[in-house]
Short mmCIF file of all heavy atoms in Angstrom, two decimals:
data_model
loop_
_atom_site.label_atom_id
_atom_site.label_comp_id
_atom_site.label_asym_id
_atom_site.label_seq_id
_atom_site.Cartn_x
_atom_site.Cartn_y
_atom_site.Cartn_z
N HIS A 1041 24.79 128.64 -13.54
CA HIS A 1041 23.45 128.51 -12.99
C HIS A 1041 23.39 127.51 -11.83
O HIS A 1041 22.31 127.17 -11.32
CB HIS A 1041 22.45 128.05 -14.06
CG HIS A 1041 22.12 129.13 -15.04
ND1 HIS A 1041 22.93 129.44 -16.10
CD2 HIS A 1041 21.08 129.98 -15.10
CE1 HIS A 1041 22.40 130.41 -16.79
NE2 HIS A 1041 21.27 130.77 -16.20
N LEU A 1042 24.54 127.04 -11.39
CA LEU A 1042 24.61 126.00 -10.37
C LEU A 1042 23.98 126.45 -9.04
O LEU A 1042 23.27 125.66 -8.41
CB LEU A 1042 26.05 125.58 -10.16
CG LEU A 1042 26.29 124.20 -9.58
CD1 LEU A 1042 25.72 123.13 -10.50
CD2 LEU A 1042 27.76 123.96 -9.36
N ASP A 1043 24.22 127.68 -8.64
CA ASP A 1043 23.69 128.13 -7.36
C ASP A 1043 22.16 128.12 -7.34
O ASP A 1043 21.55 127.74 -6.35
CB ASP A 1043 24.21 129.53 -7.01
CG ASP A 1043 25.70 129.51 -6.67
OD1 ASP A 1043 26.21 128.43 -6.25
OD2 ASP A 1043 26.37 130.54 -6.83
N ALA A 1044 21.54 128.51 -8.46
CA ALA A 1044 20.08 128.50 -8.55
C ALA A 1044 19.54 127.08 -8.52
O ALA A 1044 18.39 126.86 -8.13
CB ALA A 1044 19.62 129.22 -9.82
N ALA A 1045 20.35 126.12 -8.90
CA ALA A 1045 19.92 124.73 -8.98
C ALA A 1045 20.17 123.95 -7.70
O ALA A 1045 19.84 122.75 -7.63
CB ALA A 1045 20.63 124.05 -10.14
N LEU A 1046 20.75 124.56 -6.69
CA LEU A 1046 21.13 123.83 -5.47
C LEU A 1046 19.97 123.04 -4.84
O LEU A 1046 20.15 121.87 -4.51
CB LEU A 1046 21.75 124.77 -4.43
CG LEU A 1046 23.18 125.24 -4.76
CD1 LEU A 1046 23.63 126.30 -3.77
CD2 LEU A 1046 24.13 124.07 -4.81
N PRO A 1047 18.78 123.63 -4.67
CA PRO A 1047 17.70 122.82 -4.06
C PRO A 1047 17.35 121.58 -4.89
O PRO A 1047 17.18 120.49 -4.34
CB PRO A 1047 16.52 123.79 -4.01
CG PRO A 1047 17.14 125.17 -4.03
CD PRO A 1047 18.37 125.02 -4.87
N ALA A 1048 17.29 121.72 -6.21
CA ALA A 1048 16.96 120.57 -7.07
C ALA A 1048 18.08 119.56 -7.03
O ALA A 1048 17.82 118.35 -7.01
CB ALA A 1048 16.73 121.05 -8.51
N LEU A 1049 19.33 120.02 -7.01
CA LEU A 1049 20.46 119.09 -6.96
C LEU A 1049 20.51 118.35 -5.62
O LEU A 1049 20.85 117.17 -5.57
CB LEU A 1049 21.77 119.82 -7.24
CG LEU A 1049 21.92 120.32 -8.68
CD1 LEU A 1049 23.12 121.24 -8.81
CD2 LEU A 1049 22.03 119.15 -9.64
N ARG A 1050 20.19 119.03 -4.55
CA ARG A 1050 20.16 118.40 -3.23
C ARG A 1050 19.11 117.29 -3.22
O ARG A 1050 19.35 116.19 -2.74
CB ARG A 1050 19.88 119.45 -2.14
CG ARG A 1050 19.88 118.86 -0.73
CD ARG A 1050 19.78 119.90 0.36
NE ARG A 1050 21.11 120.48 0.57
CZ ARG A 1050 21.45 121.73 0.24
NH1 ARG A 1050 20.57 122.54 -0.26
NH2 ARG A 1050 22.66 122.17 0.47
N SER A 1051 17.95 117.59 -3.77
CA SER A 1051 16.87 116.60 -3.87
C SER A 1051 17.29 115.41 -4.74
O SER A 1051 17.07 114.26 -4.36
CB SER A 1051 15.62 117.25 -4.44
OG SER A 1051 14.60 116.33 -4.62
N ALA A 1052 17.91 115.68 -5.86
CA ALA A 1052 18.36 114.62 -6.76
C ALA A 1052 19.42 113.74 -6.09
O ALA A 1052 19.43 112.52 -6.25
CB ALA A 1052 18.89 115.20 -8.06
#
Side-chain angles (χ1 to χ4, degrees):
H1041 287 82
L1042 203 61
D1043 290 336
L1046 287 173
L1049 291 170
R1050 182 172 280 111
S1051 176

